[in-house]
Amino acid sequence: MIGRSEEYSGGGLSNLGLSGNLMETIPAGTITDITGPVVTIACTESLPAIYEGLRIPLGDEACLLEVHHHLDARHVRAVALRTTAGLKRGMAVYSTGGPLSVPVGPECLGRIVDMFGRPLDGGSPLPDKEKRPILTHLGPLSEVRGPQSILETGIKSIDLLCPFVKGGKTGLFGGAGVGKTVLIMEFMHAIAALHQGVSVFAGIGERIREAHELWKEMEGAGVLPKTTLVFGQMDESPGVRLRTGATALTYAEYLRDSLGKEVLILMDNVFRFVQAGSEVSGLLGRMPATVGYQPTLLTEVAELQERISSTASGTITSVQAVYVPADDMTDPAVSAILSHLDTLVILSREQAGRGIYPAIDPLVSQSRLLDKRVVGERHYNISRAVREHLAHYDELKDIIAMLGIEALSAEDRRIVGRARRLQRYLSQPFHTVASHSGIDGVSVPLAKALDDFDDFLNGVYDSLPEDQCYMRGSMKDPLKQGRAA
C-alpha cells in the first residue's frame, strides 16, 4: 500500500491547485459506493496516495475528496469535502496530483475564507499566483526556534499567573458559556494593538451565527485588516471540519515565512477538530478506542500541533479554545491536547458565577515560563504570593460560611480581605465587548499590574471598598463612575 508520499510536502502538481481542466486529465478511477460523506473508488491504475486530493466534475462545480484509506490493491476510500448529493456509481474521478492546496498572498489579510481559500465575505476571489498545500511536513529541526520569552497581553490575570509564551502554544480550557471565545477575541485585539502583529483565526465547527458575530465585532474593533479568518462551519462535511485547522496553519506559515510577521493563530474549537476526526474514523470503519474516540487520536492531534512552530523568519504563537466535556479534564481528547501546550488557562464556571471575567481559575492555571530565570524574581514572587492568598481564602470558605468571618484570627481576616480584593482586581473590562458591557476596555502593562498586586499584598488597599477593585484597569488610573459593582 502507498502511504503519504514525501513528494507531497510541497511543489509538484499540488501547486497547480484544484481548478482548471488540467486536473481533469489525470483519471483516478470510478465511484463504486457512497456511504454518507465516504466514497469508495475503484482505481484504474496505481492507487492515489493517502491524503491526495481527488475531483469529481458536477456541472459548473466539482466535488472535492481526500483519500483516507486503501482498501486493497484497487480500491480506496475518500472523504467528500461537500455534500455528496448528485454523486452516483460509475462517475469518473480525477486526481489533482497532490494534496489539497489554497491560494496565499498578502491579500489574505482582512478576508474571510473557507477551507479551500474561497471567499465567504462576498469579496473577490484571492489571487492564485501562489498556492500552498494544506498538509506539509515540519521543516528541519535546525531551523526551528524554541520559545524564549513571554508575550504580554495586557490582561492582568494572564500576564501575572499564566503568562503566554511567545512562539508557544496556549490552551483555554472550559465548558460551555465560560468565555473562551470572548477571551480569544481579546487576544486578537492585543496582538494587533500592542505587538503590531497579524492574526489567523480558525473557526473549526463554528456556528454560522457565531461566525457572523465574530466578523462584525472584529470589524467594529478595527482588527479585521490584520486578520485572516478561516471557517469550517458546523453544518459542513466532517472532512472540512477536520482540515480547517490545517488551512489556517497554511496561511499562518505563509505570513511567517514570506512576510516575516509575528503571527497569532487562534483556534476555536480544537475539541470539534477531534470530534470531526472521530466521525471520519467511524465512517471509515475503524474500531473505536478509549471512550469511543478514534484510535488515531494522538496522531491527528500531534500532526496539527507540531506544525505550530517558529523559525528565524518569524514566530507563530497559538491560542486554542478547548471545550471540556462535562468539565472533565481527564477526558482522552483533552489529555491528548494538554501534552502539547506550554500554558494552560483553565476557565472556571465558579468564577463566572461570581461575575469575575475573565473567568480564569488562578489556582490551577499555569505556564511553564513562570520561572525566576524567565520572568524575573519579582514577578515570580508576586504571582506565588497572590496564589497563596487566594488558596488560603479558599481553605477558609467553609469556616466563614458556618461560623462567620468573626471566628477567624486577625491574621486570617487580613488575608481574607486582601484575597477578596485581589479576586475582584483580577477581573478586567475587555475592548471587544465594550458595546455590550457599557464599560470601556482597558489594557494594563505588566509593570503597572505588578506594582498594583504588590500594593495589595502589602496592605496599601486594605481600607478600600471591594467594589472599587472590580472591573478596572490599573489601580493608579482614576476610577470610572457608573460602573456595575
Side-chain angles (χ1 to χ4, degrees):
M1 298 297 176
I2 303 173
R4 183 197 284 188
S5 175
E6 292 294 327
E7 65 179 315
Y8 292 160
S9 62
L13 289 171
S14 64
N15 287 335
L16 295 174
L18 297 172
S19 61
N21 294 328
L22 178 60
M23 293 298 103
E24 297 180 10
T25 62
I26 311 175
T30 57
I31 297 176
T32 61
D33 184 64
I34 303 168
T35 307
V38 175
V39 179
T40 303
I41 300 162
C43 300
T44 52
E45 296 180 6
S46 61
L47 296 182
I50 296 294
Y51 302 144
E52 182 173 326
L54 304 177
R55 176 187 177 91
I56 304 173
L58 281 174
D60 295 334
E61 297 183 0
C63 179
L64 302 172
L65 306 95
E66 187 178 58
V67 177
H68 277 260
H69 189 194
H70 290 169
L71 289 174
D72 53 40
R74 283 198 65 239
H75 295 83
V76 298
R77 275 188 181 145
V79 175
L81 302 177
R82 51 150 281 178
T83 176
T84 53
L87 299 186
K88 56 187 178 181
R89 292 174 182 167
M91 291 186 73
V93 181
Y94 299 90
S95 172
T96 64
L100 306 177
S101 61
V102 293
V104 295
E107 299 83 3
C108 68
L109 290 173
R111 300 301 303 274
I112 306 171
V113 298
D114 64 8
M115 187 208 112
F116 309 103
R118 299 179 301 207
L120 296 175
D121 52 10
S124 58
L126 296 177
D128 59 358
K129 294 176 291 186
E130 181 183 353
K131 292 200 172 190
R132 285 194 174 197
I134 64 171
L135 295 176
T136 61
H137 298 297
L138 186 66
L141 192 61
S142 58
E143 296 179 7
V144 177
R145 300 289 181 269
Q148 296 176 345
S149 61
I150 65 171
L151 181 69
E152 284 193 37
T153 64
I155 302 172
K156 299 173 295 190
S157 52
I158 286 177
D159 288 344
L160 176 76
L161 299 171
C162 45
F164 280 15
V165 182
K166 185 177 180 181
K169 308 179 187 78
T170 296
L172 309 181
F173 293 84
V178 293
K180 296 186 296 296
T181 301
V182 171
L183 199 51
I184 274 185
M185 289 167 55
E186 192 67 13
F187 296 146
M188 296 172 78
H189 184 279
I191 286 294
L194 300 180
H195 301 283
Q196 302 301 310
V198 296
S199 303
V200 177
F201 179 86
I204 304 173
E206 280 283 294
R207 300 174 182 88
I208 294 174
R209 170 187 58 79
E210 289 178 341
H212 189 269
E213 288 175 358
L214 179 67
W215 173 23
K216 293 304 179 184
E217 285 174 0
M218 290 180 60
E219 201 171 40
V223 300
L224 190 58
K226 292 188 175 182
T227 306
T228 299
L229 293 94
V230 183
F231 285 116
Q233 292 164 185
M234 188 173 278
D235 62 337
E236 295 193 84
S237 161
V240 170
R241 288 179 270 126
L242 184 66
R243 293 299 181 226
T244 299
T247 297
L249 278 168
T250 302
Y251 283 110
E253 289 165 349
Y254 168 79
L255 294 169
R256 177 198 66 192
D257 299 336
S258 299
L259 303 185
K261 295 287 188 180
E262 183 176 282
V263 184
L264 175 69
I265 183 164
L266 306 110
M267 297 185 185
D268 187 11
N269 187 301
V270 180
F271 184 75
R272 295 195 191 115
F273 161 78
V274 172
Q275 283 182 313
S278 179
E279 193 172 340
V280 167
S281 180
L283 290 166
L284 292 173
R286 295 177 185 144
M287 185 70 70
T290 312
V291 199
Y293 285 109
Q294 62 270 40
T296 55
L297 171 64
L298 295 178
T299 300
E300 289 174 2
V301 170
E303 285 178 348
L304 183 75
Q305 298 288 350
E306 289 306 299
R307 283 182 64 184
I308 303 170
S309 61
S310 302
T311 66
S313 303
T315 63
I316 296 181
T317 303
S318 168
V319 179
Q320 308 165 28
V322 184
Y323 170 71
V324 180
D327 293 333
D328 179 15
M329 291 294 291
T330 64
D331 184 87
V334 175
S335 299
I337 298 165
L338 272 172
S339 61
H340 293 275
L341 303 177
D342 302 297
T343 299
L344 310 181
V345 178
I346 313 298
L347 300 178
S348 161
R349 200 170 300 281
E350 186 179 356
Q351 288 284 83
R354 295 192 190 108
I356 306 296
Y357 288 101
I360 295 169
D361 189 328
L363 299 181
V364 295
S365 300
Q366 56 184 286
S367 171
R368 73 179 184 85
L369 254 67
L370 190 58
D371 186 285
K372 288 181 182 180
R373 294 166 294 181
V374 178
V375 301
E377 191 164 349
R378 181 171 184 252
H379 183 168
Y380 177 80
N381 290 336
I382 290 174
S383 66
R384 188 177 66 175
V386 167
R387 276 202 173 98
E388 286 174 352
H389 277 65
L390 295 173
H392 196 57
Y393 173 44
D394 198 55
E395 292 170 358
L396 295 172
K397 277 182 182 176
D398 289 342
I399 296 176
I400 295 171
M402 291 185 293
L403 303 177
I405 197 168
E406 295 79 11
L408 302 179
S409 66
E411 178 64 20
D412 283 345
R413 285 200 299 272
R414 184 161 53 249
I415 290 175
V416 167
R418 290 175 184 174
R420 288 175 60 88
R421 288 172 177 81
L422 283 167
Q423 191 178 62
R424 283 154 179 76
Y425 181 62
L426 287 171
S427 65
Q428 185 169 335
F430 283 170
H431 295 87
T432 50
V433 292
S435 59
H436 301 289
S437 65
I439 310 172
D440 292 336
V442 293
S443 179
V444 183
L446 178 58
K448 278 190 176 183
L450 289 176
D451 290 341
D452 288 344
F453 283 114
D454 203 17
D455 288 343
F456 275 108
L457 295 170
N458 290 324
V460 173
Y461 299 113
D462 281 0
S463 59
L464 188 71
E466 291 179 8
D467 65 332
Q468 293 191 22
C469 304
Y470 179 70
M471 280 293 171
R472 64 183 298 171
S474 171
M475 296 299 291
K476 307 296 189 298
D477 298 335
L479 178 66
K480 297 178 182 179
Q481 300 300 317
R483 189 147 33 95

